[in-house]
Amino acid sequence: MRVSCNWLSQFVVGLPAVEEVAARLTMGGLEVESIESPVLQYGDRLVLARIVEMGPHPSADRLSLCQVDDGEGCSAIVCGARNMKAGDTVVLARPGCELPGGVRIKVAKLRGIESRGMLCSAAELGLAATGDGILVLEPGLVAGAPAAPLLGLDDSIMELSITPNRGDCLSIRGVAREVAALCGARLAPAFELPLPPWSSSRDRPPVRIDASGACSHYRGIVVRGVSVGSSPTWLRTRLAAAGLRPISNVVDVTNYVLVEAGQPLHAFDLALLAGPELAVRYARSGERLRTLDDRDVDLDCGDLVIADANGPVALAGVMGGADTAVREGSCDIFLEGAAFTPAAVRRTSRRLGILTDSSARFERGIDTGAVEAALWRAARLIVEVAGGRIEEGFCGDGVAPAAGEPIVLRSSRVEKILGSAVPPQQAQRILTSLGAVAAAHPSGLEVTAPSHRNDLVREIDLIEEIARVRGYDTFGSELPAIRMQPVSLSACDRAARELRASLASRGFYEHVGLSFASADTNARLRGLHRDESECVRVRNPLRVDESELRRSALASLLEAYRLNLSVGQSRVDLFCLGRTFSWESDGSTDRGGAPAAHAHGGRAVCQIETLAGLLAGPRPGRGLGRGEAPAFGDAKAAVEAALALLAPYGRVRFVPCAERPEYHPLACARVLAGADPVGYLGRLHPVMAEELEITEEIYLFEVDWRKVVEYSPRHEGLRPIPRYPSSSRDVSLLVPRRLAASAAIEVVERLADPCIESISVFDEYTGAGIDEADKALGYTIVYRAGDRTLTEAEVTALHGRVVGELAEQLRARVRT
Amino acid sequence: MAASAHDQQLPEAISEEALARIQASSDSASLEALRVEYLGKKGRLTGALRALGSLAPAERPAFGQRVNRAKEALDAALAARGEELRLRRREAALEASAVDVTLPGFGPTPGRPHPLSRTLTEICDVLGGMGFTVEEGPEVEDDYHNFEALNMPADHPARDMQDTFFVGDDRVLRTHTSPVQIRVMERQPPPLRIIAPGAVYRNDDDATHSPMFHQVEGLMVDRGVTFAHLKGVLTTFLRRVFEREVGVRLRPSFFPFTEPSVEVDVGCVVCGQRGGECRVCKGTGWLEILGAGMVDPAVFAHVGYDPEEFTGFAFGVGVERIAMLKYGIDDIRLFYGGDLRFLRQF
């Protein structure tokens, strides 16, 4: 909201300097975002002047010579423009006057004739960006009067950010009321809107409200015999200060009153309205309206309209229709002022995407008690600037809503909320300054809110007003004395920190990617969601490639990888922690832990907390050198180390997985926590790499880490430290190349022999001496008994049995 | 026989020769050989002593003393040289195993958590230390929790302040972390001190706005919680987070779910409130840092708390905003690009 200080000063007695007003408003809750102050002081160096005589310059074809009356006498002015004539009122910059752009006017001889000043164009005064010809004002202005106030050149404009609850401050009067309350100033007599001389309404033409839920009252007033033309300068200046474009004197007046009083008005050409009556009703399906901005709008039965016999003539509270609008040549006008409900106006305005100064005010709620006063003010102004006469009496329907019930404000409650007592007299003074009526009440005050403050309906609303106007800085500040409760980091919060620390220590940088993805990306990277689950589409995305929520966190890692590659980074090890999304048809919270899906009419959004990572580029091993490309083991080590913080090492297992389209079918593992699949780890599928134009071998992982946290078993209790020595034996097995090394481990674990302590792989060999279809796997098996030292013979016998089982179950040959 | 004493080399001569050879010896083996050669059973100095018998009795004591002195000198020289060689060996061994400690350590150089994670952790740690526990909620929220229960019924103009992403089925991408307040209050009775960090979404995109960003929501509800406590907690919080005694200013504002509502400004941490040309605070000396307020009784009504018995305050702080101010980051989009040249700086 742009607020002109000149305009404001009409309503506030002794308006303080703009800086002080701005500071008070900001600290009172009406944030002043910026102030435009005049740079130049014109005083009497810039005045209105009348051209007495105008003729050609005797020695220059392109110049004219004017005799100009500037109130103190006539002076000769040489001028390059010719758009003016004798009798016109113009703006004269006298010698010494500085104009925008650094021009300083001097007495100058132009082709032999001394010119004592300059006639100004709108552009030269900074009122327009371009434009030839000097500014010609309307007749009737006094020559010699300072021009700056009339043109708003001495005005300061504050840009206010008005919160949605303060519709009353979308007007100069509303802001003036705040300024008076916050600065302790008085409101000027001009503040009171003039009241019409009649109180009853007459039906001429009859108006009927058929949608009383959407319009409490509607008033019209007829002004006959107006002449539509351009507005006088003062009116244009006011509108410009408010950021509005002048249109015609009648329309400009409606806009003027809208800005001044906050009441939107509309002017119809009475002759263009088809009788016998106007109705405020909902549109019927199939009805159309051409709006003032020349759009043809299809109406639906939720749109509130004003309709004549032929159909809708205005979108109530949003915009008038083009066919019945006041235009050049209109003679009799019907001026509308009404109280439409916020919901009705908001609905149509949103549906059609038409946001206007009118809809903005109705949406926030207008002063329902001042509709008639504003209408009367506008009618009188129209007569002032466009002539005509007001036909006595309003027509209309409905009545203004009665004032709300008085609100009891308990002093005890004020203290309970604000932490310190506010004397009732002070509270009363504050509330009165805001236009409320506050009377004493046994427990504090009984307050009736003014009609312009539709946001004051509860006790708490009044408490806020008291705090706000008194100043938040006048209240104390203290730390609460609390009832102690055990506080601990939640398991998940702690786990997330540990994952970050672990991966960072292994060389990974954390990436935070946006949750959006393109449909294409989601089709390619299915993430940890069930394959058949639907993607979550964003109805109103910012960009096409952000039209869905991501199923997988890998996409943004791949994107970051490509970015880093393009700027010359070689090793790109990244991880991210964030959610991924899909619709789950069944509303249970089946996936994703605490924040997961929430049931809601069958469908729910599954929101999985995902740990994802990417490894690319050479990484140093032991010692220096250029390093080696990442291998599966690098990725696995990182995932194992990270997850080992969530569940004991060894409990998270990795099994071959060939069916994920994003991973290499023979270089991918499914990650299991217990028996539960929790994620994947592997090399980017070469086909997908080709599609993405990635030439390097890169590794990816994606894990539902919350599931690992949930899985994490409690400590099982201490096993005794072994008292007897162990013996270990190695065995080398020749097995088919594709046999998993874990197969042998599983065989031995299945034996469940109490004397077998552990089995681990120490070697994998392919190459010379071994058939191409085979590989050799070396295992170390540790034997130990809990109650004695195993003898050499026992170990040999046991080992023989183990090797026999391995050979048989795996069809392995034992290498010797 | 007296002449035979002169046949023998003089002990001094032997000793002189031996001392020179000891000094020249370069390892413990040759040193041992010298010891045997001179002082062994058949050693030359030992031999000289054996020749004592052939001397005149009167010469014997003096000669004996001379041999002994020579022996002692050799012993001492052998020991000294031995020690010297041992030290030299140790030196050599150390020298041989020297490493260049300035070479990089093995394995990858460590990475870092994201600056937003760091900031979020700091925020949560400060508030955690004041007794707030971490809670969370869904990022795809239903209309009820994101708006309605927060006193923003359908058609409330305040909904326009929050450029909402819609995903259908009455769900939105949460526009703030405030719905977590509702979820927690629905679940448990007061007293409550919770914070809810997480991603939030607004349909907005420029150098200071991202369609996804992060907030931390805070809520305290108990008997006797007042506006003064809101001021006290937020002032303490901000001073801890910015690690200095920043000025804190509370301005009236509007949020549908709090009343009175507060916009909290801190003294500009960039220009130190000197104003002037500061681009960050635009010369005002103040930075808008968080929104807060006393929980609106209507919100309590939605979750079945008695607003006459319990009062509370809530606040929401932007993580990006704080990180940008702390680290001097001027474009919010830097956070989400994954550019290592950016990420390495934290």
Side-chain angles (χ1 to χ4, degrees):
Chain A
M1 167 91 186
R2 287 169 58 89
V3 175
S4 147
C5 287
N6 280 358
W7 204 339
L8 208 50
S9 65
Q10 278 192 328
F11 296 129
V12 180
V13 177
L15 185 73
V18 61
E19 292 77 16
E20 192 193 332
V21 171
R24 297 272 185 172
L25 286 173
T26 294
M27 292 311 286
L30 273 73
E31 189 185 355
V32 177
E33 291 185 326
S34 60
I35 302 172
E36 289 167 29
S37 291
V39 211
L40 298 169
Q41 303 295 326
Y42 295 100
D44 59 2
R45 289 185 296 277
L46 190 73
V47 293
L48 302 180
R50 182 155 298 106
I51 300 176
V52 178
E53 199 184 315
M54 177 172 155
H57 190 290
S59 49
D61 292 347
R62 298 190 162 196
L63 298 178
S64 45
L65 176 60
C66 300
Q67 290 300 320
V68 168
D69 172 14
D70 67 357
E72 291 172 5
C74 268
S75 2
I77 308 285
V78 177
C79 186
R82 289 188 177 161
N83 64 314
M84 64 290 191
K85 59 184 188 306
D88 280 352
T89 304
V90 294
V91 178
L92 171 68
R94 285 172 168 159
C97 180
E98 193 184 335
L99 293 176
V103 181
R104 188 179 285 277
I105 305 303
K106 291 193 269 298
V107 179
K109 257 196 177 155
L110 292 163
R111 294 287 179 101
I113 295 185
E114 193 177 74
S115 180
R116 302 192 61 83
M118 185 177 96
L119 304 185
C120 303
S121 71
E124 282 159 343
L125 292 169
L127 294 170
T130 52
D132 298 330
I134 63 155
L135 182 62
V136 177
L137 305 176
E138 72 271 17
L141 297 168
V142 180
L150 181 68
L151 297 170
L153 296 173
D154 61 345
D155 200 1
S156 293
I157 312 283
M158 295 182 290
E159 180 74 47
L160 261 61
S161 159
I162 307 288
T163 52
N165 58 326
R166 295 303 304 273
D168 65 299
C169 287
L170 291 175
S171 68
I172 300 294
R173 291 172 78 251
V175 175
R177 213 183 271 117
E178 283 289 306
V179 170
L182 294 167
C183 300
R186 264 189 313 115
L187 289 169
F191 181 81
E192 291 309 321
L193 282 176
L195 288 173
W198 347 272
S199 56
S200 65
S201 55
R202 295 200 205 159
D203 282 347
R204 180 183 353 109
V207 175
R208 205 180 65 239
I209 297 175
D210 288 341
S212 56
C215 176
S216 61
H217 58 302
Y218 186 104
R219 297 288 179 269
I221 195 168
V222 172
V223 184
R224 294 198 187 268
V226 300
S227 58
V228 176
S230 65
S231 291
T233 306
W234 67 265
L235 180 50
R236 298 165 71 95
T237 297
R238 284 279 189 262
L239 291 182
L244 296 176
R245 209 163 36 87
I247 293 164
S248 71
N249 45 12
V250 173
V251 175
D252 290 351
V253 166
T254 62
N255 283 332
Y256 180 89
V257 174
L258 170 132
V259 174
E260 183 187 81
Q263 171 66 48
L265 302 167
H266 181 65
F268 293 99
D269 185 328
L270 185 60
L272 299 173
L273 290 174
E277 62 173 12
L278 284 178
V280 181
R281 61 163 170 86
Y282 288 108
R284 303 182 182 116
S285 65
E287 283 185 327
R288 305 187 86 197
L289 176 69
R290 168 162 289 199
T291 53
L292 269 177
D293 56 355
D294 276 331
R295 266 196 283 181
D296 284 312
V297 175
D298 287 312
L299 303 171
D300 78 15
C301 50
D303 293 325
L304 189 70
V305 297
I306 315 304
D308 67 6
N310 295 335
V313 292
L315 288 171
V318 179
M319 190 179 272
D323 298 340
T324 52
V326 166
R327 62 202 61 196
E328 215 170 315
S330 293
C331 177
D332 298 342
I333 60 168
F334 176 74
L335 198 59
E336 162 200 292
F340 304 113
T341 60
V345 172
R346 181 183 159 88
R347 187 191 174 282
T348 298
S349 156
R350 297 292 126 165
R351 188 181 77 76
L352 300 172
I354 307 177
L355 304 176
T356 60
D357 288 312
S358 167
S359 71
R361 284 163 177 83
F362 277 120
E363 272 189 41
R364 284 162 181 75
I366 55 150
D367 180 355
T368 52
V371 173
E372 290 180 4
L375 198 54
W376 175 241
R377 162 97 168 126
R380 295 211 312 178
L381 275 175
I382 286 174
V383 172
E384 186 183 324
V385 303
R389 63 187 166 74
I390 299 168
E391 208 165 85
E392 196 176 295
F394 292 116
C395 56
D397 194 6
V399 288
E405 288 290 304
I407 308 161
V408 175
L409 176 69
R410 293 164 293 170
S411 303
S412 61
R413 184 71 182 168
V414 174
E415 185 170 355
K416 193 167 180 179
I417 296 289
L418 300 178
S420 48
V422 175
Q425 300 80 356
Q426 187 180 26
Q428 188 174 27
R429 211 164 40 242
I430 288 170
L431 292 168
T432 307
S433 76
L434 296 170
V437 177
H441 181 274
S443 52
L445 294 171
E446 192 180 67
V447 182
T448 306
S451 62
H452 59 268
R453 289 300 301 272
N454 57 15
D455 59 323
L456 304 183
V457 294
R458 303 172 301 167
E459 186 181 35
I460 192 71
D461 301 330
L462 302 176
I463 294 174
E464 179 175 59
E465 290 307 292
I466 291 165
R468 182 176 77 82
V469 175
R470 198 179 99 168
Y472 282 0
D473 54 347
T474 64
F475 294 90
S477 166
E478 62 175 323
L479 287 174
I482 57 171
R483 281 189 268 166
M484 194 178 272
Q485 291 164 294
V487 164
S488 61
L489 282 177
S490 76
C492 289
D493 194 39
R494 194 175 54 230
R497 290 180 189 213
E498 288 179 344
L499 290 174
R500 284 192 183 99
S502 167
L503 286 160
S505 76
R506 284 191 165 256
F508 287 79
Y509 281 90
E510 186 183 7
H511 170 51
V512 173
L514 300 185
S515 299
F516 303 100
S518 68
D520 198 40
T521 302
N522 268 346
R524 183 176 280 145
L525 299 167
R526 306 295 286 169
L528 302 173
H529 296 262
R530 287 215 303 259
D531 262 344
E532 63 276 18
S533 68
E534 227 180 285
C535 297
V536 178
R537 281 244 305 285
V538 178
R539 296 279 169 93
N540 53 335
L542 270 174
R543 281 179 284 270
V544 188
D545 59 356
E546 295 180 351
S547 63
E548 295 187 352
L549 291 184
R550 63 180 184 185
R551 293 179 72 93
S552 162
L554 294 177
S556 80
L557 290 173
L558 286 165
E559 221 167 275
Y561 159 70
R562 283 143 71 102
L563 166 89
N564 282 302
L565 207 63
S566 74
V567 297
Q569 305 291 318
S570 56
R571 183 168 69 87
V572 184
D573 289 0
L574 294 169
F575 75 97
C576 67
L577 287 166
R579 292 187 193 175
T580 60
F581 307 84
S582 75
W583 284 107
E584 283 290 348
S585 49
D586 117 46
S588 66
T589 57
D590 54 347
R591 306 204 63 171
H598 46 287
H600 213 289
R603 271 208 315 177
V605 178
C606 171
Q607 313 183 32
I608 300 180
E609 287 284 351
T610 307
L611 164 67
L614 177 150
L615 295 86
R619 62 218 43 255
R622 280 177 66 85
L624 299 172
R626 301 215 176 270
E628 294 164 44
F632 185 85
D634 290 309
K636 184 172 175 181
V639 173
E640 276 184 321
L643 297 186
L645 297 166
L646 311 185
Y649 179 78
R651 293 301 188 86
V652 172
R653 295 182 303 127
F654 300 81
V655 297
C657 169
E659 66 261 27
R660 299 299 299 180
E662 59 269 52
Y663 293 102
H664 188 303
L666 300 175
C668 170
R670 173 177 281 118
V671 185
L672 300 174
D676 250 359
V678 294
Y680 303 98
L681 153 68
R683 181 175 161 186
L684 177 65
H685 198 298
V687 171
M688 197 169 284
E690 207 177 299
E691 281 170 22
L692 298 171
E693 293 171 354
I694 293 172
T695 52
E696 270 185 306
E697 185 175 326
I698 68 174
Y699 287 85
L700 306 168
F701 59 85
E702 202 164 13
V703 178
D704 182 347
W705 63 273
R706 290 290 176 95
K707 275 196 173 169
V708 183
V709 175
E710 279 166 38
Y711 164 73
S712 177
R714 287 175 90 80
H715 193 265
E716 287 162 345
L718 190 68
R719 285 188 304 274
I721 307 294
R723 292 169 63 188
Y724 300 95
S726 65
S727 302
S728 62
R729 294 280 195 280
D730 291 348
V731 60
S732 178
L733 301 175
L734 213 52
V735 296
R737 211 174 244 230
R738 297 271 300 278
L739 185 79
S742 59
I745 295 171
E746 283 157 20
V747 167
V748 171
E749 279 172 352
R750 272 200 302 275
L751 289 175
D753 190 303
C755 290
I756 300 174
E757 187 173 80
S758 67
I759 170 168
S760 53
V761 196
F762 70 85
D763 188 34
E764 183 200 34
Y765 175 76
T766 54
I770 288 185
D771 191 291
E772 258 192 21
D774 290 341
K775 64 178 174 184
L777 290 169
Y779 294 90
T780 297
I781 305 167
V782 179
Y783 300 96
R784 192 200 306 264
D787 55 353
R788 69 202 141 87
T789 304
L790 290 173
T791 64
E792 188 68 15
E794 279 177 304
V795 172
T796 305
L798 189 48
H799 186 61
R801 189 160 76 81
V802 168
V803 171
E805 287 286 342
L806 287 171
E808 190 189 321
Q809 291 192 31
L810 303 178
R811 283 182 214 162
R813 276 172 294 145
V814 178
R815 284 176 91 210
T816 44
Chain B
M1 287 294 284
S4 66
H6 297 283
D7 293 342
Q8 302 288 326
Q9 278 189 289
L10 291 173
E12 287 78 8
I14 297 170
S15 154
E16 198 172 316
E17 176 199 309
L19 285 174
R21 291 179 65 193
I22 286 169
Q23 221 40 57
S25 72
S26 61
D27 56 51
S28 53
S30 58
L31 202 61
E32 177 61 15
L34 287 174
R35 195 188 62 79
V36 171
E37 184 181 343
Y38 290 94
L39 299 175
K41 277 184 187 157
K42 295 177 182 169
R44 290 166 61 187
L45 210 51
T46 321
L49 203 58
R50 260 201 309 272
L52 200 64
S54 62
L55 292 184
E59 289 178 20
R60 283 179 197 170
F63 189 75
Q65 278 175 16
R66 282 169 57 199
V67 173
N68 278 333
R69 268 203 301 277
K71 268 181 81 171
E72 278 163 23
L74 283 201
D75 270 332
L78 281 169
R81 183 61 182 163
E83 179 66 13
E84 212 176 286
L85 287 177
R86 211 170 56 76
L87 288 176
R88 196 178 290 176
R89 253 195 334 273
R90 203 157 69 187
E91 284 293 313
L94 290 176
E95 182 66 34
S97 54
V99 294
D100 182 347
V101 298
T102 64
L103 288 175
F106 293 164
T109 47
R112 301 288 280 171
H114 197 275
L116 289 175
S117 299
R118 289 165 57 94
T119 308
L120 192 60
T121 302
E122 284 170 35
I123 293 171
C124 291
D125 283 352
V126 170
L127 292 166
M130 294 167 84
F132 288 80
T133 45
V134 175
E135 295 284 350
E136 54 185 13
E139 287 175 25
V140 179
E141 256 298 359
D142 50 37
D143 186 90
Y144 177 78
H145 287 94
N146 195 74
F147 292 121
E148 203 173 327
L150 288 163
N151 204 22
M152 273 181 275
D155 283 334
H156 195 291
R159 289 196 178 199
D160 301 344
M161 288 160 84
Q162 318 208 349
D163 303 300
T164 312
F165 283 113
F166 300 92
V167 300
D169 278 24
D170 203 33
R171 307 291 212 303
V172 299
L173 304 192
R174 68 175 175 195
T175 56
H176 45 186
T177 39
S178 310
V180 183
Q181 286 181 31
I182 303 296
R183 289 184 174 274
V184 173
M185 288 193 283
E186 280 171 344
R187 207 167 57 217
Q188 67 193 79
L192 282 182
R193 282 189 306 280
I194 58 148
I195 47 176
V200 299
Y201 302 85
R202 302 271 174 102
N203 199 331
D204 204 354
D205 199 8
D206 61 40
T208 53
H209 296 89
S210 163
M212 175 182 124
F213 58 102
H214 298 79
Q215 276 187 347
V216 178
E217 185 79 7
L219 173 71
M220 174 168 183
V221 181
D222 203 345
R223 293 188 186 85
V225 176
T226 70
F227 190 71
H229 296 139
L230 175 154
K231 283 178 95 167
V233 167
L234 292 181
T235 303
T236 308
F237 163 68
L238 289 168
R239 289 184 177 160
R240 287 293 171 91
V241 164
F242 286 106
E243 297 163 291
R244 63 184 102 161
E245 287 295 295
V246 285
V248 175
R249 175 176 97 162
L250 273 62
R251 272 187 294 117
S253 186
F254 170 74
F255 307 105
F257 38 98
T258 53
E259 186 155 14
S261 295
V262 179
E263 197 78 64
V264 182
D265 299 338
V266 293
C268 181
V269 292
V270 176
C271 69
Q273 292 193 285
R274 275 186 294 276
E277 299 288 290
C278 179
R279 276 196 327 143
V280 179
C281 68
K282 300 190 184 78
T284 62
W286 294 98
L287 299 169
E288 223 171 279
I289 203 79
L290 58 80
M294 300 302 291
V295 179
D296 195 292
V299 172
F300 283 153
H302 273 287
V303 297
Y305 283 14
D306 178 2
E308 286 295 313
E309 185 178 0
F310 294 102
T311 50
F313 64 81
F315 58 92
V317 55
V319 182
E320 275 82 352
R321 175 89 171 135
I322 293 205
M324 288 171 91
L325 291 171
K326 280 186 74 138
Y327 300 121
I329 297 165
D330 58 2
D331 189 337
I332 199 168
R333 290 168 288 212
L334 282 170
F335 286 122
Y336 317 107
D339 190 331
L340 286 167
R341 297 169 301 175
F342 171 76
L343 296 175
R344 283 203 189 99
Q345 297 183 37
F346 301 94

